[in-house]
Amino acid sequence: MNDPNLNSGPAKKQRKLRTYPGLGPRDFMHPWDIKATAALHRVPGFDRLIAKVMEYGLERILYLENIADNVRVTEKMFPRLYRYLKWSCAILGVEEPELYVSLDPAPNAYTYGHTRPFIVLTSGLIDVLGEQEQFYAVAHEVGHIKCEHSLYTTVARNIAAVIEIFSQATLGLGSLLGKGIELPLYDWMRKSELSADRAALMCVQDKDVALRTFMKLAGGAQKLYAEMDQDEFLRQIRAYEEADESTLNKVYKFLITAMRTHPFPILRAKHLDEWITSGDYDKLARTASSE
């Protein structure tokens, strides 16, 4: 593993990172992700839509647009981010993709492509997160590649263009099929994030880093970082879950999440915490090796 030492904590203490030889996606994927992927393939027309996306070269168009508009991360350009990429790929056993930084104040990150996946972090995300949390963000996107999410993510994040392409190819039928595909795609996207969060934790190997990342994404402001409290954040998670007491509240929750590409940060933290407290994360960690 290239440069396996990670600076952690205020004293910048060096620690070794574990790797996972022979790791397969299903060794850590969230069961909701697995079920949502299977459900996608049962949607009429979905496999035909994916075939058209590949045929029309949408992946190539997005790749060229990305090169023209963003800055690529290399050993000499943003070398710290490049180290995070190298570590993540070595830990998860993923071939190194290209990584870019985009000038965009909105905190975000995404991975496009299938035959040639590439990762993009926005400047807004980098500004919000600390160094270890940036490592978590990079590892999260590498996790998407490990789970083979990239093609479906490309389709979901460009659904309007994809439906138009499919509609033209099917003499208007695609616009009807597209409406039946849109909601399952968004549902899958949200659930795929839970698997990528697990992959990111396997890379940073520190629960506190993950929780800080979610807190900042939920409501972080640089002037308030020192006043954030993880226990209070976890109590907020429980309060949200308790709001499911009535059927009406469950309906409201569906309505406010149906068209979101990501789960709310507090729910991402909840699912990751459940994976840890169940013992499954530690069980997987025991199969790892130190580099």
Side-chain angles (χ1 to χ4, degrees):
M1 179 176 173
N2 184 34
D3 194 5
N5 294 318
L6 173 65
N7 288 330
S8 62
K12 299 294 185 181
K13 182 180 178 181
Q14 298 287 319
R15 63 185 175 90
K16 296 287 187 178
L17 294 173
R18 299 183 298 270
T19 60
Y20 295 81
L23 179 73
R26 291 205 171 218
D27 293 336
F28 66 90
M29 285 176 69
H30 195 288
W32 287 7
D33 179 10
I34 295 172
K35 290 180 181 179
T37 302
L40 268 183
H41 287 281
R42 292 195 295 268
V43 175
F46 178 74
D47 289 332
R48 291 176 62 197
L49 181 145
I50 293 296
K52 285 298 176 185
V53 168
M54 298 298 290
E55 177 185 337
Y56 278 73
L58 179 62
E59 175 185 3
R60 181 64 177 169
I61 293 170
L62 294 171
Y63 177 77
L64 292 174
E65 180 182 44
N66 173 69
I67 291 177
D69 201 33
N70 301 326
V71 175
R72 183 174 177 182
V73 175
T74 68
E75 290 180 288
K76 294 184 178 180
M77 177 70 73
F78 310 136
R80 179 170 44 80
L81 291 177
Y82 184 70
R83 287 197 298 273
Y84 299 158
L85 177 66
K86 298 282 285 187
W87 293 340
S88 300
C89 291
I91 291 168
L92 296 177
V94 172
E95 185 176 347
E96 186 181 314
E98 295 177 10
L99 174 62
Y100 294 83
V101 174
S102 171
L103 180 60
D104 184 342
N108 196 15
Y110 54 87
T111 301
Y112 281 169
H114 177 62
T115 57
R116 190 177 184 178
F118 62 91
I119 297 169
V120 178
L121 307 179
T122 66
S123 56
L125 182 69
I126 294 170
D127 288 341
V128 165
L129 301 180
E131 290 186 12
Q132 293 183 20
E133 296 140 23
Q134 291 168 18
F135 179 22
Y136 184 89
V138 172
H140 175 96
E141 297 305 318
V142 173
H144 278 307
I145 296 174
K146 181 69 177 182
C147 295
E148 300 180 346
H149 290 155
S150 305
L151 177 58
Y152 295 169
T153 302
T154 302
V155 173
R157 286 187 173 274
N158 298 275
I159 189 65
V162 168
I163 290 175
E164 178 62 23
I165 289 172
F166 196 41
S167 181
Q168 292 176 4
T170 57
L171 301 178
L173 181 60
S175 60
L176 297 176
L177 294 176
K179 298 304 179 183
I181 290 172
E182 196 169 4
L183 282 177
L185 261 177
Y186 279 117
D187 181 61
W188 169 81
M189 280 193 75
R190 292 190 298 274
K191 291 171 180 176
S192 74
E193 295 299 321
L194 303 178
S195 294
D197 284 336
R198 290 181 173 190
L201 176 61
M202 290 164 62
C203 289
V204 300
Q205 299 164 22
D206 186 336
K207 174 186 174 182
D208 290 343
V209 173
L211 285 177
R212 287 201 307 270
T213 301
F214 295 138
M215 283 196 299
K216 290 181 178 181
L217 291 177
Q222 291 189 12
K223 293 182 179 179
L224 298 176
Y225 287 166
E227 300 178 47
M228 295 185 114
D229 186 278
Q230 291 185 16
D231 290 336
E232 285 299 311
F233 187 60
L234 290 172
R235 274 191 279 274
Q236 182 181 345
I237 293 170
R238 289 192 288 272
Y240 183 82
E241 289 303 296
E242 289 167 2
D244 260 343
E245 291 178 359
S246 73
T247 301
L248 185 59
N249 277 340
K250 292 179 181 179
V251 172
Y252 285 153
K253 282 189 177 183
F254 169 77
L255 292 175
I256 63 176
T257 60
M259 301 304 289
R260 288 179 61 92
T261 60
H262 288 65
F264 291 114
I266 61 170
L267 292 183
R268 292 172 63 182
K270 172 186 178 293
H271 280 277
L272 199 61
D273 183 62
E274 287 178 345
W275 190 47
I276 295 169
T277 56
S278 72
D280 289 341
Y281 168 66
D282 286 337
K283 182 178 179 181
L284 187 60
R286 287 195 292 271
T287 69
S289 64
S290 297
E291 289 282 330

